[in-house]
């Protein structure tokens, strides 16, 4: 946090360098793709046990009994959600507030990941962390849906329609629209029964295509990369416009 405050006080080239450095540090797109490819490679090699273990780097659900396509679904859903959290959110808040925005966003996201789940130990603190993350993630999630539509122009209308229709029934106000948009962009369906340590949840089914299979995982990684590129272009354009309008 102190690093973000200090960087935010810099001006000129120093400020630009600080923002670029923090953005590079905070962006999770590279590691997201790496983990997704690792899971796919294990599935492609018929190492289901290894894939079940490796996908835990991406998801918080119970994976011990997942079949290969269910592992792929878990990875695709995580890639979609984390494209918004780790990539687009960082770009949006960096464009809006500079280095301080990047640090605030990533701090809230990390606190939610660590303590946001409902446990007796972190009941009050976890609730606050989760709500803060929801608040800071609201705009990035909608920006991610727009970037997803832009990344697949031939399916753009379906992406926007599915995100609005199916995303609202998801327990997360931000993950829902993003995952629904990815489902439409990939022509698959996401959601359904998900098992956590705290119990099973029957979540809304998003999208109208077939259930995801192992070959859909590389497609999701490619889509995430395209969405990040669109978001980066939008963030840069936003910063340029803001500077041009600054008195």
């Amino acid at each position: 946090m102190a690093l973000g405050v200090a960087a935010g006080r810099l001006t000129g080239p120093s400020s630009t360098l600080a923002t670029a450095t923090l953005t590079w540090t905070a962006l999770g797109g590279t590691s997201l793709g790496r983990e997704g490819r690792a899971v796919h490679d294990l599935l492609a090699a018929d190492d289901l046990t290894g894939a079940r273990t490796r996908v835990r780097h991406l998801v918080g659900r119970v994976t011990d009994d997942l079949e290969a396509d269910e592992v792929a679904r878990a990875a695709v859903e995580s890639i979609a959600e984390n494209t918004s959290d780790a990539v687009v959110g960082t770009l949006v808040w960096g464009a809006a507030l500079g280095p301080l925005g990047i640090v605030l966003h990533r701090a809230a996201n990390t606190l939610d990941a660590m303590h946001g789940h409902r446990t007796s130990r972190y009941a009050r603190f976890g609730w606050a962390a989760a709500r803060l993350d929801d608040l800071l993630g609201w705009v990035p999630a909608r920006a991610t849906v727009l970037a997803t539509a832009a990344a697949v122009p031939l399916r753009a209308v379906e992406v926007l329609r599915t995100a609005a229709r199916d995303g609202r029934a998801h327990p997360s106000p931000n993950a829902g629209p993003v995952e629904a948009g990815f489902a439409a962009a990939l022509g698959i369906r996401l959601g359904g029964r998900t098992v956590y340590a705290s119990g099973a949840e029957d979540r809304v089914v998003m999208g109208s295509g077939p259930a995801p299979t192992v070959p859909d995982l590389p497609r999701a990684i490619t889509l995430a990369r395209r969405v990040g590129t669109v978001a980066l272009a939008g963030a840069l354009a936003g910063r340029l416009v803001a500077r041009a309008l600054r008195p």
Side-chain angles (χ1 to χ4, degrees):
M1 186 71 71
L3 178 60
V5 173
R9 292 177 178 174
L10 299 175
T11 59
S14 297
S15 177
T16 301
L17 178 60
T19 302
T21 301
L22 277 170
T23 302
W24 176 261
T25 301
L27 281 174
T30 301
S31 60
L32 193 61
R34 181 174 61 248
E35 290 298 330
R37 284 188 294 273
V39 172
H40 173 264
D41 291 347
L42 289 167
L43 291 172
D46 293 325
D47 185 357
L48 181 55
T49 300
R52 287 169 173 168
T53 300
R54 188 63 183 252
V55 80
R56 292 172 193 156
H57 295 185
L58 292 170
V59 302
R61 68 191 71 182
V62 175
T63 65
D64 296 339
D65 298 323
L66 296 183
E67 297 300 327
D69 289 345
E70 293 172 324
V71 172
R73 176 202 141 195
V76 170
E77 289 176 353
S78 179
I79 287 169
E81 181 179 0
N82 282 290
T83 296
S84 176
D85 286 344
V87 180
V88 179
T90 300
L91 293 169
V92 166
W93 286 109
L97 299 177
L100 180 58
I102 295 171
V103 174
L104 284 172
H105 166 70
R106 293 305 296 154
N109 196 238
T110 302
L111 284 172
D112 179 45
M114 292 174 63
H115 306 304
H117 299 290
R118 295 179 181 178
T119 64
S120 57
R121 182 178 183 184
Y122 296 116
R124 294 183 180 179
F125 181 74
W127 177 89
R131 296 293 75 76
L132 176 61
D133 186 59
D134 285 344
L135 178 64
L136 293 180
W138 196 92
V139 170
R142 276 73 194 167
T144 301
V145 172
L146 294 176
T148 303
V152 287
L154 296 180
R155 300 187 63 86
V157 173
E158 183 65 17
V159 167
L160 297 175
R161 181 186 296 121
T162 304
R165 182 192 67 214
D166 298 343
R168 69 182 63 181
H170 194 281
S172 168
N174 299 328
V178 170
E179 291 181 20
F182 261 62
L186 295 169
I188 60 176
R189 69 173 182 265
L190 296 174
R193 188 171 180 81
T194 305
V195 180
Y196 294 95
S198 58
E201 296 181 10
D202 290 312
R203 294 187 169 182
V204 61
V205 174
M206 299 168 287
S208 55
T213 59
V214 174
D216 290 314
L217 187 45
R219 297 175 58 230
I221 295 168
T222 299
L223 175 61
R225 185 168 60 248
R226 291 177 180 172
V227 170
T229 300
V230 172
L232 175 61
L236 290 174
R239 291 289 285 182
L240 290 174
V241 170
R243 287 187 178 185
L245 296 177
R246 188 179 302 166

